[in-house]
Structures are given as C-alpha cells and as structure tokens.
Amino acid sequence: MYSDKTYRGFSVSGHAGYENAGKDIICASVSALVINTVNAVDALTENVCACEQDSSGSIKFKFSSDSDEQGQLLIRALDMGLSNIEKEYGKKYLQVHYKEV
C-alpha cells in the first residue's frame, strides 16, 4: 500500500506459502480482498484508476488522479482486511508495507 495520508494505490505480489497451491487459505483470502476492492472501486465509484496484473499474479493498482471518499473507504477496508490476516497468521505468511509517495 502506498500512502501520504491518503491512499494512492497498492501492489500485491508473492505467495503466502501457508499451504500447497489450491489449498492456501491466505492466498485465497488476499486474492478475494484484492479482486473485490478493484472491482468495487471500478463499479461503485467515479474514481479513475489503473490496474495491471502480470503472469505471476502480481497486481499493481493506482488511482489515476485524486480519489474521493468512496475510493479511500474501499482501500481502507482492503488495508483493514489485509492487516487482520497479517495479525492472525503472522508476518511469515503476509507482510503489509506502507510507502510514502
């Protein structure tokens, strides 16, 4: 996640390694949260954004301009969900980092 008091975007990469592929509840949870957030920003707000996914599954999402309250709320909800997974399962499987931009 990138932040300078407001969220500008986020990136997600790597694999949790909690369980074998197809059975990893952490990977599945993170994927569901991320995909839902991207889709919700697109469908439920007027925010302009860009999202890229590469062949490894890494995702980069950013607002193309300043986001409104709705966009910020959706990204805060993603942050909360990811942070809760990190607290529950530990940094061995998920690490949330913030970067000032």
Side-chain angles (χ1 to χ4, degrees):
M1 302 247 171
Y2 305 102
S3 175
D4 67 348
K5 298 189 182 179
T6 59
Y7 293 99
R8 303 288 182 198
F10 62 86
S11 62
V12 179
S13 62
H15 296 280
Y18 183 76
E19 184 60 75
N20 293 329
K23 295 183 179 184
D24 195 321
I25 60 173
I26 295 174
C27 279
S29 299
V30 170
S31 294
L33 286 170
V34 168
I35 291 166
N36 188 67
T37 300
V38 171
N39 290 338
V41 168
D42 183 52
L44 303 174
T45 75
E46 298 295 322
N47 292 284
V48 179
C49 55
C51 186
E52 299 173 8
Q53 182 175 6
D54 66 20
S55 60
S56 71
S58 295
I59 294 176
K60 291 182 182 178
F61 170 93
K62 69 177 185 174
F63 291 108
S64 299
S65 57
D66 289 341
S67 59
D68 63 17
E69 251 182 73
Q70 292 174 318
Q72 288 297 302
L73 177 63
L74 291 168
I75 301 300
R76 278 197 312 272
L78 171 64
D79 182 17
M80 182 180 73
L82 294 175
S83 294
N84 286 337
I85 293 169
E86 179 186 52
K87 287 175 191 170
E88 180 72 24
Y89 292 95
K91 291 183 183 278
K92 178 179 178 181
Y93 300 110
L94 176 63
Q95 296 179 13
V96 177
H97 300 280
Y98 301 90
K99 178 180 175 183
E100 293 285 334
V101 293

